[in-house]
Amino acid sequence: MIHPLLTVQGMDIAFTERVCADIGFELHRGEWLGLVGESGSGKSLTCRGLIGLLPEGAQVTGQMTYGDRVFDLSNPQAPARLRGVEIAMIFQDPMSALDPLMTVEGHLKLRGRADGADLLRQVGLPDGENLLKSFPHQLSGGQCQRVALACALARHPKILIADEPTTALDVTVQAGILRKLRQLTDKQGMSVLFVTHDLGVVSEHCDRVMVMNAGRIVERGTAQDVLRAPKAGYTQNLLRAIPTPATRGRRLMSATPSEGEMSAASLRQPAEVALSLKHIRVTYQRPNGQRVNAVDGVSLSLRSGEILGLVGESGSGKSTVAKTAVGLVHADGGSVELAGRPVDWHRPQAEWRRAVQYIFQDPLGAMDPLSRILDQVRTPLDIHDIGQRRDRAVMAGKRLAEARLDPALHRKKPRMLSGGQRQRATIARALALSPKVLICDESVSALDVSVRAHILDLLMDLRAQTGVAILFISHDLSVIHHLCDRVAVMRGGRIVEEGDTAEVFATPQHDYTRALLAAIPKMPERDIGTLLQGESA
Amino acid sequence: MNWILLRTGRALLTLLLLIGFSFFVLSISGDPALSHLSADVDASAIDAFRRKWGLDLPLWQQFFIYVRGLFHGDFGMSYATGRPALEQIMAGMPVTVSLMLPTIFAAIGLGLPLGAFAAMRRGSTADRLTITLSVLALAVPNFLLGLMLMYVFSVHLGWIEPSGIVDWRSYLMPVATMALPMAAIFARFTRSAMLEILSHPMLDTARAGGLQPGRIKRAHVLPNIAVPLVTITALEFGHLFTAAVVAESVFGWPGTGRLLIDSVASRDFAVVQAILLLTGTTMILANLLADIAYGAIDPRVRDQRRRRVKA
Amino acid sequence: MKHMPPLIRISFGAVILLAFCAVFAGVLAPYPTDELDLLNRFAPPVFIGGSADHLLGTDSLGRDLLSMVLRGIQVSLTVAVIGTIGGAILGTTLGLLSAWFEGWVEAVIGIMIDFQATIPNLILALALLTILPQANLLVFILVMTVYGWERYARLARALCLQAKGQAYVQAQQVLGASAARIVLRTILPNFMAVIVVNMSINFPSTILLETTLSFLGIGIQPPDTSLGVLIGQGREQLYNAPWTVLVPGAVILVATIAISLIGDWARDRIEME
């Protein structure tokens, strides 16, 4: 076997408590090594520890060998000499990675590159000359990340550490950047340590993968081996939580036959229309005075008991459409109808509020930080004067139980809960009004995959039990495919394609839908046997 | 450039409001004829007084005359001395400016490096000392600081004449009185602005790119810290005159600041409104310049303004 | 609250002591503040050799300094407390109004804030005191209330605007809560802590303004007294009776420093959350 380019041995990171323990791995020339884990698993800290970029107060031990040089990781200054020249790093948030006051050219010149335009062309920015004079705020997120990549590559490092570099970007942009990065690294024989939570990306791009959980590496191997036949229980659970074509319409996290499946079948019967949006138009005045159609004549209808997916990339207007349905945004044209009757959100009526509820993306942001969970669920009962005053706490508790939130947590404040628990609480709060329509605006996007799976199961069960209609907005096609009966694809404020989910995914008609589907990182096929085996374990 | 015109327009509007307010101060102050003539003068003398000062005209005409007067440098007559208010103010100006100039330089020269130094050594003894000292300096009223300096250096040690302008050493105590609290403000502000920038993710990018700490400071930290510092400097212009008011009173300097206090005590409205107008105008100008400076420093602000002008 | 630094504990102790003095000044004072003792003029405090009759000495008219300082604490703290609370209420209300109602309410309050920003606080206070009756405690408190309102207005406005865009407020809207309920029961409680901390940070500057104006002879007027008045009266005796300045000066320092330290500490704690 060839000598590895980088070897890490026995790396521990501690603040007041130990957060990473006994991290050790080898990185070979020209390979992509994936580092996978959920939030808080310690994967970002591991990367930062390698080049001495941990926050103050971090205690590191361990050893790193780069080529024939050995570094003691407890001294952050030691690996600092490698930064930029041998090991470079790019980060998750491309917008804040660059200096807002400095041109793109300034960033590159600072790193000794006068041939900025060439470098930009290499990272897939063909219009390099013009971009050089631009400031970061004038660029899109994808362009910013490409510039950050150009900065990282400026001094021809041998290793690139990429910490969730495409997580904040749209799936088509992500696909473009990753393809470009793969070309570049193959050509120059660079190695990549690729941190991500997205197993699809690992499957498509990484040669080998390490899975991290709670500060430890729990499994490692070639990407295909690990994804096809995971050995560690944690990895098996992680994989099971990911929706795939095989899981469509089934619960992800429990072995019991899903009631959701039954309902999906019963859904073929025509039901009444619960929510319909007709020719919705929303215009925004850009700061330059130009009026732009954020939503341009969108019509949707949602029947009771149905889950309709609304999919699109950032800026497609999908969230705006959802907000017009609850009056958070006022439509400039078109109409909103609840159960066939038009509503005017300029003069909201309590009855309409009860009929349609909304789940936000970030559950922590959607809850009053000062108020206890039970009180938050009780609030809508107070507002709408539902039930006897003294019974309301009990009613709220029941709703929380339906959302499967542990009663021990009912008296806690939102900050004390995990992301998944908080989202359960906001769902319970919305359900307190027994709405006919539930709008989920990217409600599972900020959650880790295993937590997401539980929430998806919950939504599926709720639909089956209560017959609530769900408008499910997401940028994530695999989740849409998994959960939704019908799907509408939005782009530039219009719906470009709409239809039965299975049909749209099997035979997409519109070019954009095809491009979206092509950009989803593909997971290797798993046979249903592995899945069931995991469930019984 | 269009944006600057717009912004100047807004400054002029504020100025108009300021003029309106000072006219209000002047006209609400009661009938000067009654307060400035002795009680036993006859009605014709009062009428003559009113005609002389234009007090018999309708209010809007008075305002018009007032504004026209301002443009000709006529800020009204001091009721106390009968001399033009502006003339009296200008007489004190050299003294006041000679206090304000060294103060602003001392405050920035002391506060800025101290704050930057503290931020770079966050949590160290030097940092905590800077914070504590700045809390102390801000908690001491200017007049008390002045009296304490006077007590120590004049009464106790006998080094410096307590009041009046004798030689260059006379400047030491008033300038220190004015500059110390201001330096504390600059130090605290610089520190927090610096801390914010030091935790910005762009510095991780720079460090990961192998840039040397000194290089990062010059290229990223210093330009970014300029924006908040311009703001605070413009704001401190207001404090500068306020501090001069107090320092001149404590150390008995014959400047515009002490003139203001004397005029308030003797209810010499003309002088008070003239000083109000002048300080207000200075502040409006300082804010205008600061806003223009943002555009020069920050391309985001520049773009935002370009767009807003188009709208 | 367990991990309160010793300096903050001492500061809290000092504030409580001062508050006690302010409340019980009349009971604690050994002499009436206007009682002249012309035989005992310029008596030094007991710790530099004075008699126990006048613990903190006497002034140029032989008035007991301890009694006057107690009354000074009472007046200065009362004016500052009322002024701070009044300013906070006035400013916060205006700020909330301008943030919640767009249109002319916002425009008018915005112009007021802009205008206030162009006139330094002391200068505005002086201008107001020129046109209003000077020897009137109510007027003076009104001036102190006007002082600093725009800081709260800006803060409340910014916080409320920020909250309006946040999901937890939008969630209340979707649940059907009225505007008044949202502002009063959701938004306001959430930034009350910030307002209170700002009050403790602004409180010293209110004391500073009161004592400065009184010192300059245009604030609290004799025969009543305040810490600023005492220093103003004592400055002529800085040579022969320095305690007449240093004693009330020390009290001001203790008050402003203690409250500043507490305010800073509280702000750091809030920021950490």
Side-chain angles (χ1 to χ4, degrees):
Chain A
M1 185 141 188
I2 328 159
H3 206 52
L5 183 58
L6 179 82
T7 310
V8 177
Q9 285 167 304
M11 176 158 121
D12 280 25
I13 302 174
F15 291 92
T16 45
E17 292 167 14
R18 197 152 71 156
V19 288
C20 289
D22 198 25
I23 307 288
F25 61 89
E26 296 174 346
L27 182 62
H28 295 274
R29 205 172 298 277
E31 84 166 336
W32 280 48
L33 175 60
L35 181 54
V36 170
E38 296 185 288
S39 50
S41 60
K43 52 192 196 303
S44 282
L45 291 173
T46 302
C47 294
R48 287 173 168 266
L50 295 181
I51 53 172
L53 277 187
L54 284 168
E56 255 172 76
Q59 307 274 327
V60 192
T61 54
Q63 206 184 56
M64 179 172 94
T65 315
Y66 177 82
D68 46 9
R69 282 183 281 176
V70 179
F71 298 91
D72 179 4
L73 288 171
S74 61
N75 173 13
Q77 296 308 316
R81 271 172 282 147
L82 299 177
R83 286 184 207 153
V85 194
E86 305 292 337
I87 306 180
M89 184 162 176
I90 51 177
F91 300 86
Q92 177 169 350
D93 182 7
M95 293 306 214
S96 63
L98 304 174
D99 186 341
L101 304 186
M102 191 180 267
T103 59
V104 170
E105 188 173 31
H107 281 92
L108 297 174
K109 279 202 171 143
L110 203 58
R111 289 158 177 83
R113 292 293 290 252
D115 59 335
D118 285 343
L119 192 56
L120 291 178
R121 225 166 280 131
Q122 279 179 37
V123 295
L125 292 169
D127 194 18
E129 276 83 8
N130 285 328
L131 281 178
L132 280 179
K133 299 286 172 226
S134 303
F135 288 95
H137 72 276
Q138 297 163 332
L139 308 178
S140 71
Q143 285 174 321
C144 275
Q145 196 59 291
R146 284 177 199 263
V147 171
L149 182 61
C151 286
L153 300 181
R155 294 178 171 181
H156 311 289
K158 312 278 184 304
I159 296 175
L160 177 70
I161 301 176
D163 186 359
E164 306 249 14
T166 53
T167 305
L169 305 174
D170 278 329
V171 57
T172 49
V173 178
Q174 160 172 294
I177 288 185
L178 290 181
R179 214 178 308 122
K180 194 80 210 172
L181 187 58
R182 185 82 228 199
Q183 280 173 15
L184 272 172
T185 55
D186 284 352
K187 204 165 81 188
Q188 302 178 1
M190 265 173 74
S191 313
V192 177
L193 178 59
F194 197 91
V195 180
T196 182
H197 66 281
D198 187 339
L199 289 167
V201 171
V202 169
S203 160
E204 283 217 329
H205 297 283
C206 293
D207 305 303
R208 286 192 305 133
V209 64
M210 303 184 286
V211 181
M212 252 184 115
N213 179 36
R216 288 175 184 276
I217 295 175
V218 293
E219 180 158 11
R220 66 182 84 208
T222 71
Q224 296 312 309
D225 283 354
V226 170
L227 296 181
R228 266 180 225 278
K231 293 192 180 62
Y234 175 76
T235 320
Q236 287 170 356
N237 277 325
L238 198 63
L239 277 163
R240 192 144 47 90
I242 297 173
T244 65
T247 65
R248 174 163 157 70
R250 295 159 45 101
R251 303 177 92 258
L252 289 163
M253 298 312 279
S254 106
T256 52
S258 168
E259 296 145 81
E261 288 172 82
M262 292 161 27
S263 156
S266 64
L267 207 107
R268 298 290 161 248
Q269 275 99 51
E272 75 201 67
V273 174
L275 167 74
S276 79
L277 303 174
K278 291 184 174 160
H279 314 293
I280 296 290
R281 200 166 49 76
V282 180
T283 60
Y284 276 122
Q285 180 145 19
R286 283 237 184 95
N288 63 11
Q290 194 186 340
R291 289 207 80 88
V292 187
N293 285 328
V295 177
D296 192 5
V298 165
S299 300
L300 284 174
S301 72
L302 183 61
R303 292 175 182 281
S304 293
E306 182 185 38
I307 304 184
L308 170 62
L310 187 57
V311 72
E313 294 189 296
S314 51
S316 62
K318 57 187 192 303
S319 244
T320 312
V321 169
K323 289 196 164 98
T324 58
V326 289
L328 283 177
V329 167
H330 294 297
D332 296 302
S335 62
V336 179
E337 291 177 8
L338 285 170
R341 268 185 299 245
V343 297
D344 173 15
W345 284 119
H346 285 284
R347 273 175 292 280
Q349 288 181 11
E351 181 197 340
W352 307 335
R353 291 287 185 210
R354 287 197 294 271
V356 52
Q357 280 297 307
Y358 196 90
I359 311 288
F360 292 83
Q361 172 171 1
D362 169 22
L364 181 61
M367 288 202 271
D368 183 347
L370 295 179
S371 171
R372 292 171 201 286
I373 298 296
L374 192 70
D375 295 334
Q376 311 231 7
V377 179
R378 197 199 139 119
T379 303
L381 302 174
D382 287 337
I383 292 172
H384 293 274
D385 206 22
I386 295 170
Q388 293 293 313
R389 186 173 285 274
R390 60 176 184 280
D391 299 335
R392 285 181 194 150
V394 179
M395 290 164 71
K398 252 190 205 155
R399 293 301 185 198
L400 282 165
E402 282 166 23
R404 299 191 204 111
L405 190 73
D406 183 355
L409 301 172
H410 293 187
R411 306 243 162 230
K412 296 240 190 293
K413 299 217 172 135
R415 212 160 7 107
M416 312 288 289
L417 270 58
S418 71
Q421 290 164 341
R422 289 179 198 133
Q423 200 59 294
R424 285 173 195 279
T426 62
I427 291 174
R429 182 174 65 180
L431 293 177
L433 294 173
S434 313
K436 304 278 180 290
V437 179
L438 196 57
I439 294 174
C440 299
D441 187 2
E442 298 273 11
S443 310
V444 298
S445 307
L447 305 175
D448 278 324
V449 278
S450 55
V451 179
R452 183 180 71 184
H454 283 289
I455 301 291
L456 290 175
D457 286 356
L458 175 63
L459 290 175
M460 213 174 256
D461 295 350
L462 284 173
R463 182 264 295 267
Q465 286 154 12
T466 65
V468 66
I470 299 177
L471 178 61
F472 188 87
I473 292 111
S474 179
H475 66 279
D476 189 334
L477 287 147
S478 52
V479 171
I480 295 267
H481 188 217
H482 169 76
L483 184 71
C484 302
D485 308 308
R486 282 193 305 127
V487 63
V489 181
M490 269 193 86
R491 188 194 196 188
R494 291 167 187 270
I495 291 182
V496 296
E497 182 160 4
E498 186 184 357
D500 187 83
T501 309
E503 280 169 27
V504 170
F505 275 69
T507 53
Q509 299 299 308
H510 195 277
D511 286 346
Y512 179 65
T513 316
R514 277 197 280 272
L516 268 185
L517 286 170
I520 317 177
K522 300 288 177 299
M523 293 286 291
E525 292 284 332
R526 278 169 292 156
D527 61 319
I528 213 84
T530 345
L531 218 89
L532 291 176
Q533 199 186 347
E535 278 170 14
S536 56
Chain B
M1 285 305 112
N2 274 339
W3 179 85
I4 293 181
L5 281 180
L6 271 179
R7 179 63 185 79
T8 312
R10 218 185 85 202
L12 285 175
L13 196 76
T14 319
L15 186 64
L16 192 69
L17 213 69
L18 178 70
I19 294 173
F21 180 73
S22 42
F23 177 72
F24 171 76
V25 167
L26 208 57
S27 58
I28 203 175
S29 51
D31 195 336
L34 299 179
S35 51
H36 283 266
L37 298 175
S38 52
D40 52 347
V41 294
D42 57 20
S44 66
I46 293 177
D47 282 348
F49 184 91
R50 285 195 171 145
R51 256 198 307 282
K52 183 182 167 202
W53 296 101
L55 296 167
D56 52 344
L57 298 170
L59 208 59
W60 66 269
Q61 270 187 19
Q62 288 188 42
F63 182 66
F64 187 72
I65 293 169
Y66 175 73
V67 174
R68 200 177 53 190
L70 292 184
F71 278 106
H72 291 92
D74 175 11
F75 285 70
M77 292 290 179
S78 161
Y79 296 130
T81 61
R83 285 163 52 208
L86 191 64
E87 187 187 308
Q88 264 184 295
I89 291 168
M90 283 307 154
M93 245 354 172
V95 169
T96 305
V97 170
S98 77
L99 281 177
M100 279 163 50
L101 279 182
T103 298
I104 191 80
F105 285 121
I108 295 178
L110 194 67
L112 213 135
L114 214 60
F117 181 79
M120 281 189 276
R121 284 170 180 64
R122 184 181 198 176
S124 68
T125 318
D127 181 25
R128 266 175 308 205
L129 196 69
T130 308
I131 298 172
T132 313
L133 278 179
S134 68
V135 169
L136 286 184
L138 277 175
V140 187
N142 277 42
F143 69 90
L144 187 59
L145 182 61
L147 287 177
M148 289 193 317
L149 289 174
M150 204 191 266
Y151 178 69
V152 173
F153 292 102
S154 303
V155 178
H156 221 72
L157 300 170
W159 288 354
I160 307 174
E161 281 297 312
S163 61
I165 313 168
V166 181
D167 55 20
W168 64 270
R169 280 180 304 175
S170 306
Y171 279 90
L172 292 177
M173 290 198 296
V175 168
T177 301
M178 290 165 69
L180 279 177
M182 209 173 280
I185 292 177
F186 273 104
R188 292 179 70 154
F189 205 84
T190 308
R191 179 179 176 271
S192 60
M194 189 96 168
L195 282 180
E196 202 180 316
I197 285 153
L198 286 177
S199 66
H200 194 284
M202 71 178 173
L203 293 196
D204 277 340
T205 307
R207 288 189 203 108
L211 298 183
Q212 294 306 307
R215 197 91 193 277
I216 294 177
K217 252 163 234 157
R218 277 194 307 276
H220 292 311
V221 177
L222 287 183
N224 273 286
I225 209 174
V227 178
L229 283 181
V230 165
T231 317
I232 188 73
T233 308
L235 279 177
E236 284 309 295
F237 258 85
H239 270 140
L240 206 55
F241 183 65
T242 307
V245 170
V246 174
E248 285 172 17
S249 297
V250 171
F251 294 99
W253 284 43
T256 310
R258 217 179 65 176
L259 174 69
L260 175 63
I261 297 301
D262 294 344
S263 306
V264 172
S266 66
R267 296 185 170 248
D268 196 342
F269 309 113
V271 176
V272 174
Q273 59 84 26
I275 293 178
L276 188 72
L277 270 177
L278 289 177
T279 45
T281 311
T282 315
M283 284 297 286
I284 292 173
L285 269 177
N287 285 333
L288 179 66
L289 288 177
D291 269 7
I292 292 174
Y294 291 152
I297 300 169
D298 194 330
R300 286 168 298 183
V301 175
R302 219 154 45 219
D303 277 6
Q304 211 177 353
R305 283 175 186 168
R306 208 169 287 148
R307 279 190 241 123
R308 200 170 295 156
V309 168
K310 272 193 204 156
Chain C
M1 287 291 152
K2 260 185 209 162
H3 303 288
M4 202 185 278
L7 201 57
I8 301 300
R9 281 168 198 266
I10 296 172
S11 300
F12 269 113
V15 170
I16 292 167
L17 183 68
L18 284 169
F20 181 80
C21 290
V23 174
F24 297 105
V27 186
L28 295 170
Y31 300 93
T33 49
D34 52 359
E35 185 177 290
L36 310 182
D37 183 357
L38 293 173
L39 296 176
N40 255 327
R41 296 164 63 216
F42 298 127
V46 69
F47 44 84
I48 47 170
S51 78
D53 289 347
H54 299 284
L55 286 177
L56 293 178
T58 60
D59 71 353
S60 56
L61 298 170
R63 292 178 297 184
D64 180 57
L65 197 56
L66 174 62
S67 307
M68 289 200 298
V69 165
L70 283 170
R71 172 67 185 157
I73 292 173
Q74 189 174 40
V75 171
S76 287
L77 285 193
T78 309
V79 169
V81 165
I82 298 177
T84 305
I85 294 176
I89 293 175
L90 180 71
T92 307
T93 311
L94 289 176
L96 286 178
L97 284 176
S98 82
W100 198 262
F101 300 101
E102 284 143 20
W104 68 269
V105 177
E106 184 188 11
V108 167
I109 296 173
I111 289 173
M112 282 165 67
I113 292 177
D114 255 20
F115 176 65
Q116 170 77 69
T118 61
I119 306 181
N121 282 310
L122 181 71
I123 310 296
L124 182 68
L126 288 172
L128 288 176
L129 286 173
T130 319
I131 49 178
L132 298 169
Q134 279 175 11
N136 185 324
L137 191 62
L138 261 177
V139 166
F140 190 59
I141 287 175
L142 181 87
V143 170
M144 304 300 291
T145 303
V146 168
Y147 162 75
W149 72 273
E150 112 276 8
R151 267 190 264 188
Y152 299 99
R154 273 175 208 274
L155 188 69
R157 187 182 139 75
L159 290 169
C160 187
L161 279 180
Q162 192 194 7
K164 256 174 98 175
Q166 271 173 2
Y168 77 94
V169 171
Q170 295 183 346
Q172 295 288 318
Q173 253 174 292
V174 173
L175 290 172
S178 62
R181 187 188 164 105
I182 293 176
V183 171
L184 296 178
R185 295 194 51 180
T186 308
I187 297 182
L188 192 58
N190 267 295
F191 63 67
M192 207 55 213
V194 181
I195 299 279
V196 170
V197 165
N198 263 276
M199 283 168 70
S200 70
I201 288 170
N202 288 351
F203 187 77
S205 59
T206 318
I207 296 186
L208 256 52
L209 181 65
E210 180 274 317
T211 51
T212 302
L213 288 172
S214 299
F215 167 80
L216 294 171
I218 36 194
I220 304 286
Q221 301 289 328
D224 205 344
T225 195
S226 86
L227 294 172
V229 172
L230 286 176
I231 295 175
Q233 290 168 341
R235 65 190 286 202
E236 303 301 329
Q237 280 84 45
L238 193 59
Y239 276 88
N240 46 4
W243 56 87
T244 51
V245 168
L246 297 182
V247 169
V251 174
I252 294 179
L253 280 188
V254 168
T256 52
I257 291 173
I259 297 167
S260 295
L261 288 173
I262 292 172
D264 252 31
W265 170 77
R267 180 174 55 190
D268 286 351
R269 281 183 60 100
I270 281 194
E271 275 174 7
M272 257 188 268
E273 285 179 15

